[in-house]
Amino acid sequence: MRSLLVAGAATIRLVSRRQRTIQGISVPIFTSTRRYVNALYRVPPVQTVPTHNSSGEEVDTELFIRQFKELFYALKQTQLVEQIHEMRTCPYYECLFTADLIFQHYDIVLPMPKYGREHRSSEISETLRYLRACGASGDFNHILQDVKGGAASGGDFVSTSHGILMAYGTARTNKLSMMALTGSGAPNEAAALQQRALNVVPIEVSPDAPPLADLMAFAGKRTLIVQDTVHGRHAAEAAASNIPKVPWQILRVEPGCSFLSHLCGVNSVYDVLVDQDYPNSMERIGEAGLNPFPVEWTEPRKLGITMRSVCLIARFARGTMSAGGYADSDGHRGASFTYHSRGIAKNSRLFQNGHRRHGDSGAPLEAQLRSGELPEPVYQRPPRYAPPMHRRGGLMTSDAERRE
């Protein structure tokens, strides 16, 4: 009987210990964190990837998807991004090119016009929701979508520390979109000032030029990586002449070499993703003081796909260096009050990214008064001096009145 009691007590102790261990398991709590530099991409379905390119060369679709995913694994090892988001796939091959739909600079997000890509309309809307979920707190500026007959591609925009480089003159990005961003077709001077506050530097290219982001990339603090082709040299010369206050370091790589680098923020980042099949370009990038990261890119190169065209870069926070955000000018003798006012009117320094720096001067109150939400103010004249009661008027009592 005693042995049965002892065995029963032992089993009860074992059960209680197991319950304690089960109750003591620490369950990780996943909280959504909003990072500064984000990268977004979509993986296309395998059956939609072409099996041959235009010259008849065979493409391994499974290897294509693997190399595409390994690009973002390598990107996560660098300091170029802080968080990577894989968006939901779409049932067509064009969803691979996420950078064609949206361009982001500072706190302004520019969706591209839907003309010519109507079948990707829902994809654009979904990408905007992804950006909001990642932490985009700025404005979604639809100025390009409001241009009648305008065409623009996100691959023709490159962010630099001193403005946005925009290539126009092709079927992807025409002159109407350039005029809308530079304020050439604005109805009045106030609207033109707000549009010019984006600080877009237009670069006219030939109609057969590839996207500007495939030819040029910003790296470090003042380095422009360009392909050593006719279009790449022309874009680099135009960028250096239009932004003369920056002593640009132009680094030329081999034609056909795919690379990925972008404007990161206050703390300059010197990491660059490079196609590993171009060792001379990697050596040249390393000699210029940058850190090349080799990436296997054989199958996407057969289809003419670059690293920048499949990666949507988004930077959200903006502030001072101590807050880890984005500063207006990091060096190069560029003060903050001249950053957005180069070659514009004097009062344009009040505008920054299309907004007034010091707020609207009484605009909400004036709008409420005009709409009738508030009663009209009562203008009362200053009261005249009234003498005290039961006395004769006067500012001061005389000595005779005091004696009385």
Side-chain angles (χ1 to χ4, degrees):
M1 187 69 181
R2 290 180 180 177
S3 61
L4 289 174
L5 290 174
V6 170
T11 54
I12 291 172
R13 288 175 185 173
L14 286 174
V15 170
S16 62
R17 285 180 182 176
R18 287 179 183 176
Q19 289 177 353
R20 288 174 187 172
T21 54
I22 292 173
Q23 292 176 357
I25 292 176
S26 60
V27 180
I29 300 176
F30 296 98
T31 57
S32 61
T33 57
R34 295 186 174 183
R35 300 294 182 179
Y36 174 51
V37 185
N38 297 261
L40 298 92
Y41 69 98
R42 294 181 189 271
V43 181
V46 185
Q47 62 272 14
T48 60
V49 179
T51 57
H52 294 78
N53 59 5
S54 57
S55 60
E57 192 175 4
E58 186 178 359
V59 178
D60 190 350
T61 56
E62 295 182 357
L63 182 59
F64 176 91
I65 298 296
R66 184 172 64 84
Q67 291 180 356
F68 176 73
K69 291 183 177 180
E70 286 179 353
L71 167 67
F72 295 94
Y73 295 154
L75 184 61
K76 204 169 187 178
Q77 308 302 321
T78 66
Q79 298 181 8
L80 289 170
V81 297
E82 294 184 359
Q83 203 165 14
I84 295 178
H85 310 273
E86 180 180 352
M87 297 184 288
R88 189 180 64 177
T89 185
C90 297
Y92 45 85
Y93 172 66
E94 288 83 1
C95 72
L96 176 70
F97 306 100
T98 55
D100 294 345
L101 301 178
I102 294 171
F103 173 74
Q104 191 270 341
H105 183 77
Y106 288 155
D107 54 351
I108 298 293
V109 179
L110 292 173
M112 297 298 128
K114 297 181 180 180
Y115 178 75
R117 50 173 75 97
E118 288 84 359
H119 63 290
R120 304 182 68 181
S121 177
S122 60
E123 182 186 353
I124 296 176
S125 304
E126 187 181 9
T127 306
L128 293 178
R129 288 193 291 270
Y130 271 105
L131 291 177
R132 282 294 189 207
C134 295
S137 57
D139 296 336
F140 287 170
N141 197 328
H142 296 273
I143 182 173
L144 291 177
Q145 295 185 345
D146 297 337
V147 179
K148 186 176 181 180
S153 174
D156 285 321
F157 294 86
V158 173
S159 294
T160 67
S161 57
H162 287 73
I164 305 172
L165 300 178
M166 176 185 181
Y168 72 97
T170 60
R172 298 182 309 271
T173 306
N174 55 14
K175 193 174 182 179
L176 292 174
S177 299
M178 183 274 296
M179 293 174 62
L181 288 180
T182 55
S184 302
N188 49 37
E189 185 62 23
L193 283 175
Q194 286 195 352
Q195 293 174 11
R196 286 199 296 262
L198 292 173
N199 202 11
V200 175
V201 179
I203 298 176
E204 187 174 4
V205 296
S206 58
D208 59 340
L212 183 64
D214 297 347
L215 295 173
M216 178 187 298
F218 181 87
K221 185 175 289 189
R222 57 180 184 90
T223 305
L224 291 178
I225 305 176
V226 297
Q227 288 188 359
D228 195 7
T229 59
V230 176
H231 304 295
R233 289 192 295 267
H234 169 69
E237 292 173 1
S241 60
N242 288 326
I243 312 178
K245 73 173 184 178
V246 181
W248 294 108
Q249 179 188 13
I250 298 177
L251 180 61
R252 298 178 181 177
V253 297
E254 300 170 83
C257 177
S258 182
F259 46 86
L260 177 58
S261 178
H262 56 263
L263 177 68
C264 290
V266 172
N267 301 321
S268 304
V269 177
Y270 299 92
D271 298 341
V272 183
L273 294 182
V274 193
D275 192 345
Q276 67 178 9
D277 292 337
Y278 293 87
N280 294 332
S281 298
M282 293 182 59
E283 184 179 359
R284 190 175 303 174
I285 290 174
E287 291 174 353
L290 303 176
N291 303 323
F293 282 75
V295 177
E296 188 179 2
W297 201 248
T298 57
E299 303 304 312
R301 193 193 324 127
K302 295 178 183 178
L303 297 175
I305 299 174
T306 59
M307 300 179 188
R308 184 63 181 88
S309 61
V310 299
C311 181
L312 176 60
I313 300 297
R315 299 166 294 274
F316 299 130
R318 187 170 173 275
T320 59
M321 185 181 294
S322 60
Y326 206 104
D328 287 344
S329 294
D330 181 22
H332 313 314
R333 301 178 299 277
S336 60
F337 64 88
T338 59
Y339 183 86
H340 288 290
S341 58
R342 179 179 58 84
I344 320 177
K346 288 184 178 180
N347 62 347
S348 63
R349 67 184 59 178
L350 301 176
F351 291 90
Q352 197 167 27
N353 294 336
H355 307 287
R356 294 182 65 92
R357 293 186 63 179
H358 305 291
D360 295 325
S361 55
L365 177 61
E366 187 175 359
Q368 287 179 330
L369 291 174
R370 290 183 178 180
S371 62
E373 297 180 14
L374 298 179
E376 294 185 1
V378 178
Y379 296 99
Q380 184 178 3
R381 299 178 62 182
R384 294 182 178 180
Y385 173 74
M389 294 179 63
H390 313 298
R391 286 191 183 182
R392 288 177 293 179
L395 293 177
M396 293 182 61
T397 57
S398 60
D399 296 338
E401 292 177 349
R402 288 179 183 174
R403 291 169 189 168
E404 293 177 359

